[in-house]
Short mmCIF file of all heavy atoms in Angstrom, two decimals:
data_model
loop_
_atom_site.label_atom_id
_atom_site.label_comp_id
_atom_site.label_asym_id
_atom_site.label_seq_id
_atom_site.Cartn_x
_atom_site.Cartn_y
_atom_site.Cartn_z
N TYR B 1 107.66 90.65 102.48
CA TYR B 1 108.41 91.52 103.38
C TYR B 1 107.75 91.64 104.75
O TYR B 1 106.53 91.69 104.88
CB TYR B 1 108.51 92.92 102.77
CG TYR B 1 109.18 92.93 101.43
CD1 TYR B 1 108.43 92.87 100.27
CD2 TYR B 1 110.57 92.96 101.32
CE1 TYR B 1 109.03 92.86 99.02
CE2 TYR B 1 111.18 92.96 100.08
CZ TYR B 1 110.40 92.91 98.94
OH TYR B 1 111.02 92.89 97.71
N GLY B 2 108.62 91.71 105.77
CA GLY B 2 108.16 92.21 107.04
C GLY B 2 108.06 93.72 106.94
O GLY B 2 108.88 94.35 106.27
N MET B 3 107.06 94.29 107.58
CA MET B 3 106.81 95.72 107.41
C MET B 3 106.81 96.44 108.74
O MET B 3 106.53 95.84 109.79
CB MET B 3 105.46 95.93 106.71
CG MET B 3 105.36 95.27 105.34
SD MET B 3 106.53 95.94 104.15
CE MET B 3 105.88 97.61 103.98
N GLY B 4 107.11 97.72 108.68
CA GLY B 4 107.12 98.51 109.90
C GLY B 4 106.74 99.95 109.64
O GLY B 4 106.76 100.42 108.50
N TRP B 5 106.39 100.62 110.71
CA TRP B 5 106.14 102.07 110.68
C TRP B 5 107.09 102.73 111.68
O TRP B 5 107.26 102.24 112.80
CB TRP B 5 104.70 102.38 111.08
CG TRP B 5 103.68 102.07 110.04
CD1 TRP B 5 102.94 100.93 109.94
CD2 TRP B 5 103.26 102.91 108.96
NE1 TRP B 5 102.09 101.00 108.87
CE2 TRP B 5 102.26 102.21 108.24
CE3 TRP B 5 103.62 104.18 108.51
CZ2 TRP B 5 101.64 102.75 107.12
CZ3 TRP B 5 103.00 104.71 107.40
CH2 TRP B 5 102.01 103.99 106.71
N PHE B 6 107.67 103.80 111.23
CA PHE B 6 108.55 104.61 112.06
C PHE B 6 108.09 106.06 111.96
O PHE B 6 107.37 106.42 111.04
CB PHE B 6 110.01 104.48 111.61
CG PHE B 6 110.56 103.10 111.80
CD1 PHE B 6 110.28 102.08 110.89
CD2 PHE B 6 111.37 102.80 112.89
CE1 PHE B 6 110.79 100.80 111.07
CE2 PHE B 6 111.88 101.52 113.08
CZ PHE B 6 111.58 100.52 112.17
N ARG B 7 108.55 106.89 112.89
CA ARG B 7 108.21 108.30 112.81
C ARG B 7 109.40 109.14 113.26
O ARG B 7 110.25 108.67 114.00
CB ARG B 7 106.98 108.61 113.65
CG ARG B 7 107.18 108.47 115.15
CD ARG B 7 105.85 108.66 115.87
NE ARG B 7 106.01 108.59 117.33
CZ ARG B 7 104.99 108.60 118.18
NH1 ARG B 7 103.74 108.67 117.73
NH2 ARG B 7 105.22 108.54 119.49
N GLN B 8 109.40 110.37 112.77
CA GLN B 8 110.46 111.29 113.15
C GLN B 8 109.88 112.68 113.31
O GLN B 8 109.31 113.23 112.36
CB GLN B 8 111.60 111.30 112.13
CG GLN B 8 112.82 112.07 112.58
CD GLN B 8 114.04 111.77 111.75
OE1 GLN B 8 113.94 111.27 110.63
NE2 GLN B 8 115.22 112.05 112.29
N ALA B 9 110.03 113.21 114.51
CA ALA B 9 109.59 114.58 114.81
C ALA B 9 110.77 115.52 114.62
O ALA B 9 111.94 115.09 114.72
CB ALA B 9 109.05 114.65 116.22
N PRO B 10 110.52 116.80 114.39
CA PRO B 10 111.62 117.76 114.21
C PRO B 10 112.57 117.76 115.39
O PRO B 10 112.14 117.81 116.54
CB PRO B 10 110.88 119.10 114.09
CG PRO B 10 109.53 118.75 113.58
CD PRO B 10 109.19 117.43 114.21
N GLY B 11 113.86 117.63 115.08
CA GLY B 11 114.87 117.67 116.12
C GLY B 11 115.01 116.39 116.92
O GLY B 11 115.78 116.35 117.88
N LYS B 12 114.28 115.35 116.53
CA LYS B 12 114.34 114.09 117.26
C LYS B 12 114.80 112.96 116.35
O LYS B 12 114.72 113.05 115.13
CB LYS B 12 112.98 113.75 117.86
CG LYS B 12 112.53 114.73 118.94
CD LYS B 12 111.27 114.23 119.63
CE LYS B 12 110.87 115.15 120.76
NZ LYS B 12 109.66 114.64 121.47
N GLU B 13 115.25 111.88 116.96
CA GLU B 13 115.67 110.71 116.19
C GLU B 13 114.45 109.93 115.71
O GLU B 13 113.36 110.05 116.26
CB GLU B 13 116.56 109.81 117.06
CG GLU B 13 117.90 110.44 117.42
CD GLU B 13 118.80 109.45 118.14
OE1 GLU B 13 118.35 108.33 118.46
OE2 GLU B 13 119.97 109.80 118.36
N ARG B 14 114.68 109.15 114.67
CA ARG B 14 113.62 108.29 114.16
C ARG B 14 113.22 107.30 115.24
O ARG B 14 114.07 106.70 115.90
CB ARG B 14 114.09 107.58 112.90
CG ARG B 14 113.01 106.80 112.19
CD ARG B 14 113.47 106.34 110.83
NE ARG B 14 113.64 107.46 109.93
CZ ARG B 14 114.01 107.34 108.66
NH1 ARG B 14 114.27 106.13 108.16
NH2 ARG B 14 114.14 108.39 107.89
N GLU B 15 111.93 107.09 115.39
CA GLU B 15 111.38 106.27 116.46
C GLU B 15 110.57 105.11 115.90
O GLU B 15 109.77 105.31 114.97
CB GLU B 15 110.49 107.13 117.36
CG GLU B 15 109.80 106.40 118.48
CD GLU B 15 108.79 107.27 119.22
OE1 GLU B 15 108.47 108.38 118.72
OE2 GLU B 15 108.29 106.85 120.28
N PHE B 16 110.74 103.95 116.47
CA PHE B 16 109.94 102.79 116.09
C PHE B 16 108.51 102.98 116.57
O PHE B 16 108.26 103.33 117.72
CB PHE B 16 110.54 101.53 116.71
CG PHE B 16 109.65 100.32 116.62
CD1 PHE B 16 109.43 99.70 115.40
CD2 PHE B 16 109.03 99.82 117.75
CE1 PHE B 16 108.61 98.59 115.31
CE2 PHE B 16 108.22 98.70 117.68
CZ PHE B 16 108.00 98.08 116.46
N VAL B 17 107.55 102.71 115.68
CA VAL B 17 106.14 102.82 116.01
C VAL B 17 105.49 101.45 116.08
O VAL B 17 104.89 101.08 117.08
CB VAL B 17 105.40 103.69 114.98
CG1 VAL B 17 103.90 103.72 115.27
CG2 VAL B 17 105.97 105.11 114.97
N ALA B 18 105.60 100.67 115.00
CA ALA B 18 104.94 99.37 114.95
C ALA B 18 105.55 98.52 113.85
O ALA B 18 106.14 99.06 112.91
CB ALA B 18 103.44 99.53 114.71
N ALA B 19 105.41 97.21 113.99
CA ALA B 19 105.91 96.30 112.96
C ALA B 19 105.00 95.09 112.88
O ALA B 19 104.29 94.76 113.84
CB ALA B 19 107.34 95.87 113.27
N ILE B 20 105.06 94.44 111.73
CA ILE B 20 104.21 93.28 111.50
C ILE B 20 104.97 92.25 110.68
O ILE B 20 105.78 92.60 109.81
CB ILE B 20 102.90 93.70 110.80
CG1 ILE B 20 101.88 92.57 110.76
CG2 ILE B 20 103.16 94.25 109.40
CD1 ILE B 20 100.47 93.02 110.38
N SER B 21 104.74 90.98 110.96
CA SER B 21 105.42 89.91 110.26
C SER B 21 104.84 89.75 108.85
O SER B 21 103.83 90.34 108.50
CB SER B 21 105.27 88.61 111.04
OG SER B 21 103.89 88.23 111.11
N ARG B 22 105.47 88.91 108.07
CA ARG B 22 105.02 88.69 106.70
C ARG B 22 103.58 88.22 106.64
O ARG B 22 102.79 88.67 105.81
CB ARG B 22 105.92 87.67 106.01
CG ARG B 22 107.24 88.22 105.53
CD ARG B 22 108.07 87.16 104.86
NE ARG B 22 107.39 86.54 103.72
CZ ARG B 22 107.93 85.62 102.94
NH1 ARG B 22 109.15 85.17 103.22
NH2 ARG B 22 107.27 85.11 101.94
N SER B 23 103.22 87.32 107.51
CA SER B 23 101.87 86.75 107.48
C SER B 23 100.86 87.63 108.19
O SER B 23 99.65 87.47 108.01
CB SER B 23 101.88 85.38 108.13
OG SER B 23 102.18 85.51 109.52
N GLY B 24 101.36 88.53 109.03
CA GLY B 24 100.45 89.33 109.86
C GLY B 24 100.19 88.72 111.22
O GLY B 24 99.53 89.32 112.05
N GLY B 25 100.76 87.53 111.46
CA GLY B 25 100.50 86.85 112.71
C GLY B 25 101.27 87.40 113.89
O GLY B 25 100.93 87.14 115.05
N GLY B 26 102.33 88.14 113.63
CA GLY B 26 103.13 88.73 114.69
C GLY B 26 103.17 90.24 114.56
O GLY B 26 103.40 90.77 113.45
N THR B 27 102.92 90.95 115.65
CA THR B 27 102.97 92.40 115.64
C THR B 27 103.69 92.91 116.89
O THR B 27 103.73 92.22 117.91
CB THR B 27 101.57 93.04 115.59
OG1 THR B 27 100.81 92.59 116.73
CG2 THR B 27 100.82 92.66 114.32
#
């Protein structure tokens, strides 16, 4: 799987934080 981190603060929309490719070579 490609993986990612997202975050959501109260009253705000979900926000993209970071992502990484399957191998880890792309971020």
Side-chain angles (χ1 to χ4, degrees):
Y1 302 94
M3 301 297 293
W5 286 95
F6 294 80
R7 67 187 183 186
Q8 189 165 19
K12 294 188 176 182
E13 293 187 354
R14 187 169 292 181
E15 177 188 11
F16 168 71
V17 176
I20 190 167
S21 63
R22 281 181 58 178
S23 66
T27 58

